[in-house]
Structures are given as structure tokens and as C-alpha cells.
Amino acid sequence: MIQIPRGTYDVLPEDAFKWQKIEAAAREICARFNYKELRTPLFESTALFQRGVGDTTDIVQKEMYSFKDRGGRELTLRPEGTASIVRAYVENKLHGDPNQPQKLYYIGPMFRYERPQAGRNRQFTQFGCEALGSADPSIDAEVISLAMTFYQTLGLKKLKLVLNSLGDPESRKAHRDALIAHFKPSIGEFCDDCQQRLEKNPLRILDCKADHHHPLMATAPSIIDYLNDASRDYFNKVKAILDEMGIDYELDPTLVRGLDYYNHTTFEIMGASQGAITTLMGGGRYNGLVSELGGPETPGIGFALSIERLLLALDVEGISLNSDPALDCFVVAIGEAAEQKAPVLLNRLRLAGLTADKDYIGRKVKGQFKQADRDKAKFVVVVGDEELEQEKAVVKNMADGSQEAVAFKDLTDYLKEKI
């Protein structure tokens, strides 16, 4: 037997409705905030992620699924969504669209080669939003509010918003120099990755999982102490808007996120998962990414969240997304002639917008009624030789057991009125 690849999973029909409900909620909330869907390919040029995500990140160094196609082109299954969205923004010249900023969202699979565990798979699904073309602090607050609204709409209550600022390039450089001076004397005590990052991107050291408990981590220079006046003012405006919105948050000067393109506002939303507090989503501002990928200087901000982690958080908080939707009608056919008539009635009901089904494996009448129960059918339409002769069906209301004879020509209108 050929088995599913490690780090992937099947979403079976009994669980698929949960995904559909989450995706529907994401689309409905994005519509409220006036964000439009943009769909990008599952694979892109490898160079897109090397330049966009950053060649010092774990994603690029260790986790990408990269390959050469038959033409020798270096391609990669997308490990995250922002770089692809920005590539599409540049390539399709969306920066020239009169509707600015471009407010976009995506829902789809991503791929990273890492150790599978609860809420972390090699193929996983992200919902993300990006706002490109505005440097207004209020859009930072809007993006954060959208994410919080999404989680709250689905019923999550154990949420914590964490904020930080990485500042502008001038602030980042001052902080970078301070980090190098701080870590350099003892860098030999750190992992190989951190030793390579010291000169290339010392901020990544703060995000290291292997050396997270090293004493120097706790005493590392805080980016907050190196923000210049412009960066500090920007961050204060974001916080002030969140305060006015009534969105609670905590400041965390160690929050740097795992991707190279972030600057200014960074944020995470924490939640309960598998009995512990974990990161459900993360995002931030990336004002230099569009120009890095060949477009004009364009400010941007966005977030991405894992659907898998959301499902775990919903389970931990005991939140049900309701059961599989009930069927409007199940047609029970008795006899060969009725078997011929049943598909015609079914088609008529379906074209009228009702959800309807019948037996297709020769069950006896009792078995057909059991299948109707399993499908949670609201009504059962029974057709036999007598019903065919009278051109009527017996319609049984499964909620109260009542039944009524209804002419075939009136069946659709009768059921639509009842349902």
C-alpha cells in the first residue's frame, strides 16, 4: 500500500466542513475590510524566496522544497505567501492601479521541510492578508484588527496580541551594530547557524531556537532603545490607534519574527493549543520588500496564520464548528420503475437549489431510510408503484414523523416552502 508522505495529511469529508467554515469566515471578514483575493502559483522561482524571505533564514537555509524542472530552472514550492503576493504585485503592475493601497488576501497550501508535530506539517495551509501602498499607521492597526476579528468571529477567547517595532533602516543599523558588539566575544558558544548570522544578520540570533536559553539572549540590546525619533513616533501612533479601538496588547522587545523583510511594526497573536500557549499567527511591516523584488519603493504590511493551528486552538477551547450540514431531502425509491423516476425528481430538486440525494447501491427500503438518517435529511420523498400511478410522492417530515402526498409537479415548491 502506498502511504501518504510524511508531514502531510488527508482532510476527510467529516472534517472538511470545518475547513469550509473557516475559509468562508476568512472571505467574509476580508470583504468587510475591503480586501480582495489574489491567487498565486504553488511554485515560484527559487530566487524569489532567497531574495524576498532572506538567505539567512531557516526557511531558505533548511526548509525549502526546491527542484530543477526539465528546462533546468530552479523552482521552489512556496514556503510562505508574502513573497509571492509581492512578486505578483510587481509583475502585474498593481502599484499603477488607481485603487491604493492594494488590499489583498490569500488562502492556500505552503510547504516547508521540517519535523512534523502538532500544528506543524510539511504541507500546511495559510490564510494571509497584505496591504501594499500605504505608510499610514492606521493600516497597521487595521491589519491587526482584521486578524483579531477573524479569530474572535470563530469564537476564540484566549488570545493575546504581542507587539514590537523593528524600526526603520537607520534604527536597524544602530541596533545591528549593538548586537554584533554584544554577541561577538562569546559567539563561539552559539550554534553554527548563529555564528554565520553574526555578521550577515545578527537579529536572527534572537530568533534562534537552539540557543534560546543562552544567558546573553536575556541581556541582548533591545531594539526599542535604538529606535530613532521617526520610528518611535510611528510606533506610538500605531499603539494609540489600537488603544482607541479597544484592542489590548503586550509589548515584547524580543519579538523579531522569522523573516528578513520585516521593519517597523511586528506582531503576533498567541492562543491556547495542545494545553500550552503558542503563536497562532504573525506579521509585520515590510517597507523594503517591493523594491527588493524589482518594484518601486512601496510600503507594505501583512500577516499569515495557520489553519491547522487554528483548528487545534478551537479544540482546546472546546469550540465546535457545528456538524456536517443536513440534507434537505432524500428520495427513497421502491421498485424498478421508481428507480427510473428518482433521478429525474432529484435533478429537479437540485436545480431548484435544494440539497438532495438517493441510494445508489440497491439498499432495501429500511436501509434507504437509515441512509437518510445518516445524511440528516429533513424530508424523505418516497416513490413506489402506487405513487407513480397517481403521479404523487409521499413526503415524510423527519422531525415530527408527519407525512403528506404531494403531486410530482408541486414537489419542488412544496419542499422549498417547508424548508
Side-chain angles (χ1 to χ4, degrees):
M1 183 179 68
I2 298 173
Q3 294 185 326
I4 195 169
R6 177 172 162 80
T8 65
Y9 59 92
D10 299 310
V11 179
L12 300 178
E14 59 263 31
D15 291 322
F17 72 91
K18 299 177 184 177
W19 288 76
Q20 292 163 3
K21 188 159 188 177
I22 288 169
E23 291 163 4
R27 289 188 164 90
E28 190 274 327
I29 289 164
C30 283
R32 273 195 247 165
F33 283 71
N34 198 27
Y35 282 67
K36 307 294 197 308
E37 184 175 14
L38 195 163
R39 302 188 184 194
T40 62
L42 292 183
F43 59 90
E44 300 263 14
S45 168
T46 300
L48 172 66
F49 303 111
Q50 290 172 335
R51 289 171 57 188
V53 176
D55 58 10
T56 63
T57 61
D58 283 348
I59 292 175
V60 171
Q61 289 186 342
K62 304 175 182 179
E63 298 172 1
M64 294 203 311
Y65 280 96
S66 298
F67 59 96
K68 284 186 178 181
D69 68 5
R70 294 185 179 183
R73 290 170 285 263
E74 294 280 355
L75 301 172
T76 294
L77 297 178
R78 62 186 186 193
E80 57 94 54
T82 301
S84 292
I85 293 290
V86 172
R87 191 270 311 148
Y89 174 86
V90 173
E91 187 168 349
N92 294 283
K93 296 181 173 58
L94 297 183
H95 45 80
D97 192 302
N99 292 319
Q100 297 295 331
Q102 285 284 300
K103 301 189 341 180
L104 310 165
Y105 78 90
Y106 59 89
I107 303 173
M110 309 293 164
F111 306 85
R112 295 184 193 175
Y113 188 87
E114 53 188 349
R115 186 172 66 86
Q117 53 188 289
R120 188 184 294 273
N121 300 282
R122 291 178 176 177
Q123 176 178 320
F124 56 99
T125 304
Q126 281 189 342
F127 160 48
C129 290
E130 316 289 350
L132 295 153
S134 172
D136 188 332
S138 65
I139 207 161
D140 297 39
E142 175 182 281
V143 167
I144 292 169
S145 175
L146 193 161
M148 290 293 286
T149 301
F150 171 70
Y151 284 128
Q152 291 164 347
T153 297
L154 290 169
L156 289 180
K157 293 180 173 61
K158 298 177 182 177
L159 299 171
K160 181 173 72 172
L161 171 63
V162 181
L163 285 183
N164 191 26
S165 173
L166 299 180
D168 61 11
E170 180 182 81
S171 303
R172 288 281 294 269
K173 183 180 185 309
H175 184 229
R176 179 183 185 279
D177 293 342
L179 286 174
I180 292 174
H182 177 75
F183 285 115
K184 194 167 188 176
S186 304
I187 195 63
E189 300 171 10
F190 286 75
C191 69
D192 291 342
D193 288 339
C194 285
Q195 291 180 39
Q196 292 176 18
R197 290 167 177 162
L198 179 66
E199 297 294 339
K200 288 184 177 180
N201 192 350
L203 192 65
R204 292 274 64 75
I205 296 176
L206 299 179
D207 204 37
C208 179
K209 297 176 180 66
D211 295 315
H212 181 69
H213 296 294
H214 193 285
L216 284 180
M217 290 292 202
T219 58
S222 169
I223 181 63
I224 296 297
D225 296 331
Y226 291 86
L227 295 180
N228 57 23
D229 290 343
S231 296
R232 194 177 303 278
D233 180 62
Y234 190 92
F235 193 42
N236 286 338
K237 287 178 179 176
V238 174
K239 292 185 292 181
I241 297 167
L242 291 173
D243 291 338
E244 288 291 321
M245 288 179 168
I247 297 176
D248 295 330
Y249 57 85
E250 293 182 11
L251 299 178
D252 181 359
T254 67
L255 175 62
V256 299
R257 301 295 303 137
L259 308 175
D260 280 358
Y261 49 60
Y262 287 118
N263 47 52
H264 284 295
T265 311
T266 57
F267 56 91
E268 289 183 349
I269 295 177
M270 316 292 287
S273 179
Q274 299 292 297
I277 300 299
T278 188
T279 301
L280 297 180
M281 62 78 68
R285 183 161 278 282
Y286 46 84
N287 290 349
L289 183 57
V290 175
S291 58
E292 176 66 28
L293 296 179
E297 287 290 340
T298 306
I301 185 169
F303 71 79
L305 62 86
S306 162
I307 303 296
E308 289 84 354
R309 290 194 182 188
L310 168 57
L311 287 165
L312 290 175
L314 290 168
D315 286 343
V316 168
E317 291 200 31
I319 298 167
S320 171
L321 294 182
N322 299 324
S323 60
D324 207 356
L327 203 62
D328 290 331
C329 173
F330 192 92
V331 177
V332 171
I334 306 171
E336 188 174 333
E339 286 286 358
Q340 291 289 105
K341 182 68 173 179
V344 178
L345 293 176
L346 263 182
N347 194 55
R348 194 179 300 163
L349 295 172
R350 289 165 172 168
L351 291 177
L354 299 173
T355 58
D357 208 349
K358 66 178 285 294
D359 169 63
Y360 289 98
I361 58 172
R363 292 183 179 93
K364 301 211 179 280
V365 175
K366 185 177 180 180
Q368 293 184 56
F369 269 93
K370 284 184 177 179
Q371 184 59 45
D373 280 335
R374 285 191 291 269
D375 285 336
K376 304 181 183 69
K378 299 169 188 172
F379 291 87
V380 169
V381 173
V382 181
V383 181
D385 290 340
E386 185 177 337
E387 286 75 24
L388 288 172
E389 192 172 315
Q390 298 177 1
E391 294 192 353
K392 291 182 177 180
V394 175
V395 180
K396 182 175 181 179
N397 186 323
M398 299 298 280
D400 59 19
S402 63
Q403 59 185 46
E404 189 174 348
V406 179
F408 290 152
K409 65 182 178 62
D410 299 328
L411 183 60
T412 297
D413 290 339
Y414 174 87
L415 286 172
K416 287 184 76 172
E417 182 180 339
K418 291 288 185 180
I419 290 167

